[in-house]
Amino acid sequence: MRKALDHEDGTRTCPNCGERQSIEAFNLDKLATGGRRAICKACRRAAEKRRWEAEPGRLRSLARKNYAKSIDVRRAKDKERYERDKDKRIALATESVHRRRVRMTMEPSDRGITVAALREKFGDICPYCGQPMSFEYVRGRQYEPRKATIEHIIPLSGGGGHTWANSMLCCWQCNLRKNRRTREEWVISMRDKR
């Protein structure tokens, strides 16, 4: 096989198809010249496709054997990644749930509204009960009354949006008690109970 020809303007000529393309059109490879493979991505895809079409049974069984050999290593890496990225995953899942609920009501929605972002803005004290909130992850559906949750001043079900102006933090217990009421309605109902 011929070597790839690099040019001074940041392009490379693929030895397979002879086309001059930008360097991004070549896959990354630490061991290759310049950190990129010699053959362009399009030629490599075509070669892999031909290879799999020529002998699909053998390649599929090899892939299964290699997967079975390394399953313990894969599981260990997945578990480590799961633990490492837990906070990011939870924040993304929470944000996507709120955004989906708002999309269903056709109300406005802002990106980046997370417990961590609202903590920086509002602090650690629940505005309703005045108690410090807990920011530790609680596994499963265990009830942690002081867990910090995203509170919508005007509830999503009442026409409020998932916006910075309509979002704040409060503890789980106060959020459950407030339910679908506005802040004013909830404060009045709490006064009536006393």
Side-chain angles (χ1 to χ4, degrees):
M1 181 196 288
R2 298 179 315 224
K3 289 186 103 182
L5 180 61
D6 288 335
H7 304 282
E8 291 182 13
D9 61 352
T11 60
R12 178 181 273 187
T13 303
C14 174
N16 203 28
C17 62
E19 287 187 35
R20 188 172 177 170
Q21 303 174 35
S22 87
I23 198 73
E24 282 79 32
F26 297 84
N27 287 320
L28 291 171
D29 186 353
K30 292 179 195 173
L31 303 175
T33 306
R36 299 269 179 176
R37 290 186 181 265
I39 298 173
C40 69
K41 291 178 182 178
C43 291
R44 184 162 167 74
R45 270 194 305 268
E48 283 295 311
K49 186 176 181 181
R50 284 192 304 271
R51 200 179 99 178
W52 275 85
E53 287 172 352
E55 45 186 346
R58 187 180 78 81
L59 293 176
R60 197 165 279 123
S61 69
L62 279 175
R64 284 187 184 129
K65 285 177 187 174
N66 287 335
Y67 181 81
K69 282 182 196 173
S70 63
I71 193 134
D72 293 333
V73 174
R74 287 173 189 264
R75 284 184 181 152
K77 284 183 180 180
D78 285 346
K79 188 174 184 178
E80 184 267 325
R81 187 178 70 243
Y82 180 84
E83 292 299 324
R84 182 185 66 227
D85 298 337
K86 187 182 292 185
D87 293 336
K88 284 191 272 184
R89 271 195 345 275
I90 291 169
L92 285 171
T94 303
E95 184 178 2
S96 69
V97 166
H98 286 300
R99 289 176 58 85
R100 180 180 175 275
R101 287 179 59 204
V102 170
R103 259 195 326 268
M104 289 168 46
T105 62
M106 305 299 282
E107 294 296 331
S109 175
D110 293 339
R111 288 194 175 275
I113 300 174
T114 62
V115 171
L118 290 172
R119 184 181 188 183
E120 286 181 26
K121 187 176 179 182
F122 294 108
D124 296 353
I125 304 297
C126 175
Y128 296 133
C129 65
Q131 299 291 321
M133 294 180 281
S134 168
F135 292 90
E136 291 184 22
Y137 172 71
V138 179
R139 188 172 181 92
R141 294 190 171 264
Q142 297 174 5
Y143 179 65
E144 171 57 52
R146 296 288 161 232
K147 180 182 176 202
T149 60
I150 297 174
E151 157 67 1
H152 295 97
I153 299 164
I154 299 171
L156 298 180
S157 60
H162 186 62
T163 60
W164 287 100
N166 193 41
S167 299
M168 60 186 274
L169 279 183
C170 76
C171 66
W172 193 6
Q173 188 173 30
C174 290
N175 205 344
L176 286 173
R177 287 179 181 169
K178 180 180 171 278
N179 202 358
R180 294 181 175 183
R181 294 175 281 202
T182 64
R183 188 176 185 168
E184 292 77 23
E185 292 171 344
W186 189 66
V187 168
I188 291 169
S189 71
M190 290 306 288
R191 267 194 240 132
D192 293 344
K193 287 182 181 179
R194 289 180 189 169

